[in-house]
Short mmCIF file of all heavy atoms in Angstrom, two decimals:
data_model
loop_
_atom_site.label_atom_id
_atom_site.label_comp_id
_atom_site.label_asym_id
_atom_site.label_seq_id
_atom_site.Cartn_x
_atom_site.Cartn_y
_atom_site.Cartn_z
N SER A 301 9.59 -7.13 10.86
CA SER A 301 9.65 -6.71 12.28
C SER A 301 10.79 -5.75 12.53
O SER A 301 10.82 -5.10 13.52
CB SER A 301 9.78 -7.92 13.19
OG SER A 301 10.94 -8.63 12.91
N ILE A 311 8.38 -2.18 15.48
CA ILE A 311 7.41 -2.09 16.55
C ILE A 311 8.05 -1.24 17.60
O ILE A 311 9.02 -1.59 18.16
CB ILE A 311 7.03 -3.44 17.05
CG1 ILE A 311 6.56 -4.38 15.93
CG2 ILE A 311 5.92 -3.34 18.15
CD1 ILE A 311 5.32 -4.02 15.25
N VAL A 328 -2.10 -6.97 12.26
CA VAL A 328 -0.68 -6.73 11.90
C VAL A 328 0.05 -8.04 11.71
O VAL A 328 -0.08 -8.87 12.56
CB VAL A 328 0.07 -5.83 12.90
CG1 VAL A 328 1.52 -5.64 12.57
CG2 VAL A 328 -0.69 -4.48 13.06
N ILE A 329 0.78 -8.16 10.61
CA ILE A 329 1.55 -9.35 10.32
C ILE A 329 2.99 -8.94 10.12
O ILE A 329 3.30 -8.03 9.29
CB ILE A 329 1.05 -10.08 9.06
CG1 ILE A 329 -0.44 -10.41 9.25
CG2 ILE A 329 1.90 -11.29 8.74
CD1 ILE A 329 -1.10 -10.99 7.95
N THR A 330 3.88 -9.63 10.83
CA THR A 330 5.33 -9.41 10.61
C THR A 330 5.93 -10.82 10.41
O THR A 330 5.25 -11.83 10.49
CB THR A 330 6.09 -8.70 11.75
OG1 THR A 330 6.16 -9.64 12.86
CG2 THR A 330 5.44 -7.39 12.13
N ASP A 331 7.24 -10.90 10.11
CA ASP A 331 7.90 -12.10 9.95
C ASP A 331 7.94 -12.89 11.29
O ASP A 331 8.29 -14.07 11.30
CB ASP A 331 9.35 -11.92 9.48
CG ASP A 331 10.09 -10.87 10.29
OD1 ASP A 331 9.60 -9.72 10.40
OD2 ASP A 331 11.15 -11.17 10.78
N GLN A 332 7.55 -12.26 12.37
CA GLN A 332 7.51 -12.94 13.69
C GLN A 332 6.17 -13.49 14.07
O GLN A 332 6.06 -14.34 14.92
CB GLN A 332 7.98 -11.93 14.80
CG GLN A 332 9.34 -11.38 14.55
CD GLN A 332 10.37 -12.51 14.53
OE1 GLN A 332 10.40 -13.41 15.34
NE2 GLN A 332 11.27 -12.40 13.53
N GLY A 333 5.11 -12.99 13.46
CA GLY A 333 3.78 -13.52 13.76
C GLY A 333 2.66 -12.58 13.40
O GLY A 333 2.79 -11.63 12.73
N ILE A 334 1.48 -12.85 13.99
CA ILE A 334 0.27 -12.12 13.65
C ILE A 334 -0.34 -11.54 14.98
O ILE A 334 -0.46 -12.30 15.96
CB ILE A 334 -0.75 -13.03 13.00
CG1 ILE A 334 -0.14 -13.53 11.68
CG2 ILE A 334 -2.09 -12.28 12.74
CD1 ILE A 334 -1.02 -14.63 11.04
N ALA A 335 -0.79 -10.27 14.94
CA ALA A 335 -1.52 -9.70 16.07
C ALA A 335 -2.88 -9.29 15.57
O ALA A 335 -2.99 -8.44 14.71
CB ALA A 335 -0.78 -8.51 16.68
N ASP A 336 -3.95 -9.92 16.13
CA ASP A 336 -5.31 -9.59 15.82
C ASP A 336 -5.70 -8.50 16.79
O ASP A 336 -5.86 -8.79 18.00
CB ASP A 336 -6.20 -10.77 15.92
CG ASP A 336 -7.61 -10.52 15.48
OD1 ASP A 336 -8.04 -9.32 15.33
OD2 ASP A 336 -8.37 -11.50 15.23
N LEU A 337 -5.88 -7.27 16.36
CA LEU A 337 -6.09 -6.18 17.24
C LEU A 337 -7.63 -5.80 17.35
O LEU A 337 -7.97 -4.92 18.14
CB LEU A 337 -5.42 -4.97 16.74
CG LEU A 337 -3.87 -5.09 16.48
CD1 LEU A 337 -3.29 -3.86 15.90
CD2 LEU A 337 -3.16 -5.55 17.77
N GLU A 344 -3.99 -3.87 25.46
CA GLU A 344 -4.07 -5.21 24.81
C GLU A 344 -3.41 -5.13 23.42
O GLU A 344 -2.71 -6.13 23.07
CB GLU A 344 -5.49 -5.68 24.72
CG GLU A 344 -6.13 -5.94 26.02
CD GLU A 344 -7.66 -6.20 25.97
OE1 GLU A 344 -8.27 -5.49 25.05
OE2 GLU A 344 -8.18 -6.96 26.78
N ARG A 345 -3.66 -4.02 22.72
CA ARG A 345 -3.01 -3.88 21.38
C ARG A 345 -1.50 -3.87 21.48
O ARG A 345 -0.80 -4.54 20.74
CB ARG A 345 -3.52 -2.66 20.69
CG ARG A 345 -4.96 -2.78 20.17
CD ARG A 345 -5.25 -1.64 19.24
NE ARG A 345 -5.28 -0.31 19.78
CZ ARG A 345 -6.39 0.28 20.32
NH1 ARG A 345 -7.51 -0.44 20.36
NH2 ARG A 345 -6.37 1.48 20.80
N ALA A 346 -1.01 -3.05 22.44
CA ALA A 346 0.44 -2.91 22.55
C ALA A 346 1.03 -4.29 22.95
O ALA A 346 2.06 -4.70 22.38
CB ALA A 346 0.78 -1.86 23.65
N THR A 347 0.38 -4.99 23.88
CA THR A 347 0.88 -6.34 24.29
C THR A 347 0.92 -7.31 23.13
O THR A 347 1.86 -8.07 22.96
CB THR A 347 0.04 -6.86 25.47
OG1 THR A 347 0.13 -5.89 26.58
CG2 THR A 347 0.54 -8.18 25.92
N ALA A 348 -0.17 -7.33 22.35
CA ALA A 348 -0.28 -8.26 21.28
C ALA A 348 0.80 -7.94 20.19
O ALA A 348 1.45 -8.91 19.66
CB ALA A 348 -1.66 -8.19 20.58
N LEU A 349 1.05 -6.68 19.94
CA LEU A 349 2.05 -6.29 18.97
C LEU A 349 3.50 -6.72 19.45
O LEU A 349 4.27 -7.23 18.73
CB LEU A 349 2.04 -4.77 18.71
CG LEU A 349 0.88 -4.29 17.88
CD1 LEU A 349 0.72 -2.81 17.89
CD2 LEU A 349 1.03 -4.80 16.45
N ILE A 350 3.78 -6.45 20.75
CA ILE A 350 5.04 -6.84 21.31
C ILE A 350 5.23 -8.42 21.29
O ILE A 350 6.20 -8.94 20.76
CB ILE A 350 5.22 -6.31 22.71
CG1 ILE A 350 5.31 -4.80 22.65
CG2 ILE A 350 6.49 -6.96 23.35
CD1 ILE A 350 5.23 -4.09 24.06
N ASP A 351 4.26 -9.10 21.81
CA ASP A 351 4.32 -10.55 21.95
C ASP A 351 4.34 -11.30 20.59
O ASP A 351 4.92 -12.33 20.52
CB ASP A 351 3.24 -11.11 22.84
CG ASP A 351 3.31 -10.65 24.24
OD1 ASP A 351 4.40 -10.15 24.66
OD2 ASP A 351 2.37 -10.82 25.01
N ASN A 352 3.55 -10.77 19.64
CA ASN A 352 3.37 -11.56 18.42
C ASN A 352 4.16 -10.98 17.19
O ASN A 352 4.42 -11.79 16.27
CB ASN A 352 1.89 -11.61 18.06
CG ASN A 352 1.09 -12.28 19.11
OD1 ASN A 352 1.49 -13.26 19.66
ND2 ASN A 352 -0.04 -11.68 19.50
N CYS A 353 4.42 -9.68 17.16
CA CYS A 353 5.01 -9.08 15.95
C CYS A 353 6.40 -8.57 16.10
O CYS A 353 7.13 -8.40 15.11
CB CYS A 353 4.06 -8.00 15.48
SG CYS A 353 2.41 -8.64 14.94
N ALA A 354 6.81 -8.10 17.33
CA ALA A 354 8.11 -7.59 17.51
C ALA A 354 9.20 -8.67 17.38
O ALA A 354 8.94 -9.83 17.78
CB ALA A 354 8.23 -6.89 18.85
N HIS A 355 10.34 -8.30 16.84
CA HIS A 355 11.48 -9.18 16.85
C HIS A 355 11.87 -9.50 18.24
O HIS A 355 11.92 -8.69 19.11
CB HIS A 355 12.61 -8.52 16.03
CG HIS A 355 13.68 -9.51 15.75
ND1 HIS A 355 14.69 -9.85 16.58
CD2 HIS A 355 13.92 -10.23 14.59
CE1 HIS A 355 15.48 -10.74 16.06
NE2 HIS A 355 15.02 -10.95 14.83
N ARG A 359 11.94 -7.39 22.22
CA ARG A 359 10.73 -7.56 23.03
C ARG A 359 10.94 -7.16 24.51
O ARG A 359 10.05 -6.46 25.04
CB ARG A 359 10.28 -9.01 22.95
CG ARG A 359 9.60 -9.38 21.62
CD ARG A 359 9.06 -10.76 21.61
NE ARG A 359 8.55 -11.05 20.24
CZ ARG A 359 8.39 -12.22 19.81
NH1 ARG A 359 8.66 -13.28 20.54
NH2 ARG A 359 7.90 -12.47 18.60
N ARG A 363 8.68 -4.33 26.25
CA ARG A 363 7.89 -4.72 27.46
C ARG A 363 8.21 -3.77 28.58
O ARG A 363 7.29 -3.36 29.35
CB ARG A 363 8.10 -6.15 27.86
CG ARG A 363 7.37 -7.16 27.00
CD ARG A 363 7.47 -8.57 27.56
NE ARG A 363 6.99 -9.55 26.58
CZ ARG A 363 7.73 -10.31 25.95
NH1 ARG A 363 9.02 -10.41 26.15
NH2 ARG A 363 7.20 -11.17 25.05
#
Side-chain angles (χ1 to χ4, degrees):
S301 61
I311 306 297
V328 175
I329 301 172
T330 70
D331 51 303
Q332 301 301 314
I334 300 170
D336 185 345
L337 307 178
E344 293 168 330
R345 286 194 295 269
T347 300
L349 287 166
I350 293 168
D351 291 347
N352 299 317
C353 294
H355 191 277
R359 286 183 185 159
R363 284 187 190 111

